[in-house]
């Protein structure tokens, strides 16, 4: 371990590894440019050859070789004893070695911060996945794939904002603490506000507040933010995750389908160079248009039986039993249809598909289908066998919305711990009038997983929720 010696309070690099590669990457072997630069970063590799030490300095843009001859580099012996992971600043001459490696000849150097723990080099990395997630601050230095994934994530969010703003959407922020549970089916986290002496819920969705803003006259709004669901951990689930939600006045679910496929196709091409993306060894075709198929059609494709809301409940229960789909006594035909679809058909959809026509029983915030009684104008986006998003023509009748809320309360009393509550203020907002509106929610984390080709949500969340460390360290 290298001890600090006159560690400075600040440092002024004037170049980056990537910038130097772009400007001087064409140099022939054995060139000394006479140009001096100052760089800073971590020392990631070091090897000595007698009176010469080679190192590799990594900054946020990339890596560049350090070339330190004993007759040029001050405090040469100290430089040769630096630890992997030490932060250093280097002033030196841009050059290439006889083998053509772009390098900086070290004319002066400064220790900026020593590492007090063994730092893995880039070749060995962190082999234990749990350690990678707990020590992301190390993982980002030694795992190039991790750094690229989070850079892609940042670009995806930025591009999404710009794309929506170019189409007239206004970005807003809505409360994290909700006094009433609602906006989606999920089990919430509950906390207590001492001053008001009330329980509050960490939001499971911003939906009801965003629709209040449409009532207030903001005709196109969106929010990209954290939501919280008190659910288990899995490759697809983290208790806190990031959602894009948007609402557009005067639009319906067909308009939202068009917006969704255009946005995701645009992001795929911008971030990967193509609308065909490789994911886990298989191609996904995001080119337009995406398939539209009803739940009934998708179920029939898998089990060979046509079902619908008019199918007797006993027959639906028998089909669930036949295909190992659990059900409860209080499930109606709509809930049984949804369970049958999710357990038999959803996981079989690889290329993007809009799964349409969800029963009203399981869609308390969606508007009734204009042609099919008992159905709603709701769809989910399914890609690679998983839900990517949820959308619908928004329910804007306050009387029907109250009935749906009250039915949710009854489902909660029957044992559904993901059921919603009656939100009286939201109903009051609807009394003032919500115009025809289309809404969409997309899971940003799952979209990043697809475009970055990673299999677990922990690889796209910088600091995922983990079980406590057993040794407490």
């Amino acid at each position: 371990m290298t001890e600090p010696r006159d560690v400075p309070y600040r440092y002024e690099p004037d170049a980056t590894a990537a910038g130097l590669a772009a400007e001087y990457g064409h140099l022939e072997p054995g060139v000394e440019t006479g140009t001096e630069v100052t760089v800073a970063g971590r020392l990631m590799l070091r090897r000595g050859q007698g009176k010469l030490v080679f190192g590799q300095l990594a900054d946020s843009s990339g890596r560049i070789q350090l070339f330190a001859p004993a007759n040029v580099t001050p405090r040469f012996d100290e430089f040769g004893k630096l630890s992997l992971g030490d932060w250093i600043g280097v002033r030196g001459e841009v050059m290439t070695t006889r083998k053509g490696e772009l390098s900086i000849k070290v004319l002066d150097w400064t220790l900026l911060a020593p590492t007090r723990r063994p730092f893995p080099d880039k070749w060995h990395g962190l082999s234990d996945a749990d350690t990678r997630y707990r020590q992301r601050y190390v993982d980002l230095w030694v795992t190039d794939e991790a750094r690229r994934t989070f850079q892609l994530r940042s670009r995806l969010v930025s591009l999404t904002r710009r794309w929506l703003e170019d189409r007239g959407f206004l970005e807003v922020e809505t409360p994290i603490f909700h006094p009433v549970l609602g906006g989606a089916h999920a089990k919430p986290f509950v906390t207590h506000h001492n001053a008001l002496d009330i329980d509050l819920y960490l939001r499971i969705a911003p939906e009801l507040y965003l629709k209040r803003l449409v009532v207030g006259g903001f005709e196109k709004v969106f929010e990209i933010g954290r939501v919280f669901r008190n659910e288990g951990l899995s490759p697809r689930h983290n208790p806190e995750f990031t959602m894009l939600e948007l609402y557009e006045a005067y639009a319906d679910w067909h308009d939202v389908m068009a917006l969704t496929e255009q946005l995701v196709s645009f992001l795929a091409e911008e971030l990967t160079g193509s609308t065909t993306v490789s994911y886990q060894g298989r191609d996904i075709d995001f080119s337009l248009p995406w398939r539209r198929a009803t739940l009934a059609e998708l179920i029939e494709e898998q089990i060979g039986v046509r079902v619908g809301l008019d199918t007797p409940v006993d027959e639906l229960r028998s089909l669930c039993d036949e295909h190992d789909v659990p059900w409860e006594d209080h499930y109606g035909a709509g809930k049984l249809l949804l369970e049958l679809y999710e357990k038999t058909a959803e996981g079989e959809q690889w290329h993007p598909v809009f799964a349409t026509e969800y029963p009203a029983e399981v869609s308390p915030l969606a508007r009734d289908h204009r042609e099919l009684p008992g159905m709603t104008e709701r769809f989910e986006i399914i890609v690679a066998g998983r839900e990517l998003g949820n959308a619908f023509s928004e329910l804007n009748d306050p009387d029907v919305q109250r009935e749906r809320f009250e039915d949710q309360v009854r489902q909660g009393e029957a044992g559904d711990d993901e059921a919603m509550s009656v939100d009286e203020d939201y109903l009051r907002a609807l009394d003032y009038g919500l115009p025809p509106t289309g809404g969409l929610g997309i899971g940003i984390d799952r979209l990043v997983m697809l475009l970055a080709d990673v299999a677990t949500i922990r690889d796209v969340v910088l600091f995922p929720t983990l079980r406590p460390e057993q040794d407490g360290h």
Side-chain angles (χ1 to χ4, degrees):
M1 180 181 72
T2 305
E3 292 298 330
R5 187 181 99 174
D6 300 326
V7 174
Y9 279 83
R10 64 189 301 273
Y11 196 76
E12 292 189 64
D14 58 21
T16 65
L20 293 172
E23 186 172 357
Y24 297 101
H26 64 282
L27 292 179
E28 297 292 326
V31 173
E32 295 189 358
T33 65
T35 301
E36 290 189 10
V37 296
T38 303
V39 293
R42 283 194 190 270
L43 183 68
M44 295 302 295
L45 292 174
R46 189 200 68 239
R47 59 186 173 88
Q49 295 182 355
K51 295 297 184 179
L52 180 63
V53 171
F54 290 95
Q56 185 183 75
L57 182 129
D59 62 17
S60 62
S61 72
R63 301 168 189 265
I64 190 164
Q65 180 168 275
L66 303 178
F67 181 85
N71 63 341
V72 171
T73 302
R75 307 185 312 283
F76 175 79
D77 290 340
E78 284 185 51
F79 187 84
K81 295 176 182 178
L82 287 169
S83 298
L84 295 186
D86 282 348
W87 288 89
I88 60 173
V90 171
R91 178 178 62 83
E93 179 187 1
V94 180
M95 57 165 286
T96 53
T97 64
R98 286 178 296 177
K99 293 184 177 181
E101 181 76 17
L102 181 64
S103 306
I104 297 174
K105 183 190 294 183
V106 181
L107 304 179
D108 193 15
W109 65 276
T110 303
L111 178 65
L112 302 178
T115 180
R116 292 169 138 331
R117 293 174 180 263
F119 209 98
D121 65 50
K122 65 170 289 188
W123 306 113
H124 297 95
L126 292 174
S127 57
D128 179 67
D130 187 70
T131 303
R132 288 186 56 216
Y133 303 138
R134 292 187 192 280
Q135 299 180 23
R136 186 71 82 187
Y137 38 85
V138 178
D139 178 45
L140 291 171
W141 286 107
V142 299
T143 312
D144 290 340
E145 294 80 2
R147 184 182 291 260
R148 285 194 294 267
T149 292
F150 290 107
Q151 289 170 335
L152 180 145
R153 180 186 177 117
S154 178
R155 287 192 61 212
L156 183 146
V157 172
S158 178
L159 287 167
T160 299
R161 283 194 167 98
R162 192 178 316 146
W163 193 90
L164 290 171
E165 288 169 349
D166 287 347
R167 285 153 183 78
F169 281 85
L170 176 72
E171 184 174 12
V172 297
E173 294 179 314
T174 61
I176 299 292
F177 291 136
H178 287 190
V180 179
L181 179 61
H185 282 104
K187 188 175 181 180
F189 288 96
V190 185
T191 189
H192 188 78
H193 189 284
N194 292 334
L196 295 177
D197 193 24
I198 58 173
D199 284 342
L200 295 169
Y201 303 98
L202 291 182
R203 69 179 179 190
I204 57 176
E207 175 167 343
L208 300 186
Y209 281 95
L210 290 170
K211 287 192 284 193
R212 284 172 169 90
L213 295 178
V214 180
V215 171
F218 288 156
E219 296 174 355
K220 292 183 175 182
V221 294
F222 77 96
E223 182 170 9
I224 300 174
R226 287 292 212 203
V227 295
F228 308 86
R229 300 185 182 181
N230 201 347
E231 56 193 13
L233 304 175
S234 82
R236 303 181 187 181
H237 298 90
N238 193 64
E240 57 173 318
F241 58 98
T242 303
M243 286 283 290
L244 160 68
E245 288 219 12
L246 64 85
Y247 294 86
E248 180 177 357
Y250 320 123
D252 68 2
W253 66 331
H254 296 297
D255 300 304
V256 178
M257 284 186 207
L259 181 150
T260 302
E261 61 187 3
Q262 290 166 16
L263 170 60
V264 176
S265 178
F266 162 78
L267 291 172
E269 188 154 19
E270 284 291 313
L271 295 170
T272 73
S274 173
T275 55
T276 298
V277 173
S278 177
Y279 182 71
Q280 302 299 289
R282 293 179 62 184
D283 283 348
I284 299 175
D285 184 3
F286 285 107
S287 62
L288 308 185
W290 295 358
R291 184 189 180 198
R292 278 83 165 150
T294 68
L295 296 193
E297 291 169 341
L298 295 171
I299 293 170
E300 184 178 10
E301 289 174 2
Q302 298 305 314
I303 69 173
V305 178
R306 186 73 173 185
V307 291
L309 289 180
D310 56 350
T311 305
V313 168
D314 287 344
E315 185 176 331
L316 290 172
R317 289 173 174 172
S318 296
L319 285 170
C320 286
D321 290 339
E322 181 181 341
H323 295 280
D324 299 319
V325 178
W327 53 271
E328 302 288 342
D329 290 339
H330 63 273
Y331 289 1
K335 178 65 170 172
L336 290 167
L337 277 175
L338 179 63
E339 293 297 313
L340 198 57
Y341 156 74
E342 289 184 342
K343 300 300 190 300
T344 66
E346 184 178 85
E348 302 303 315
Q349 311 309 312
W350 188 257
H351 296 290
V353 59
F354 292 121
T356 66
E357 295 180 10
Y358 278 70
E361 179 185 348
V362 295
S363 310
L365 299 171
R367 192 167 184 175
D368 287 335
H369 198 289
R370 65 196 79 181
E371 297 173 357
L372 302 173
M375 290 294 187
T376 62
E377 293 192 348
R378 171 188 171 190
F379 66 87
E380 287 191 354
I381 307 112
I382 311 300
V383 186
R386 70 190 60 169
E387 176 195 348
L388 180 62
N390 186 29
F392 27 87
S393 300
E394 301 297 329
L395 176 55
N396 60 353
D397 184 320
D399 296 327
V400 176
Q401 185 64 81
R402 179 176 292 278
E403 292 173 3
R404 299 269 187 87
F405 278 154
E406 290 174 348
D407 181 62
Q408 284 288 295
V409 171
R410 287 190 291 272
Q411 291 183 34
E413 292 170 347
D416 186 351
D417 59 5
E418 296 186 350
M420 301 182 198
S421 305
V422 178
D423 189 332
E424 292 290 350
D425 180 69
Y426 179 67
L427 293 171
R428 178 170 57 191
L430 290 184
D431 280 338
Y432 282 96
L434 174 69
T437 298
L440 166 69
I442 287 182
I444 292 294
D445 311 88
R446 291 185 178 182
L447 183 55
V448 175
M449 288 171 64
L450 291 170
L451 299 185
D453 190 13
V454 297
T456 172
I457 195 170
R458 294 184 180 187
D459 282 333
V460 301
V461 175
L462 278 167
F463 300 101
T465 303
L466 302 169
R467 298 183 187 280
E469 290 185 84
Q470 295 301 310
D471 60 5
H473 295 296

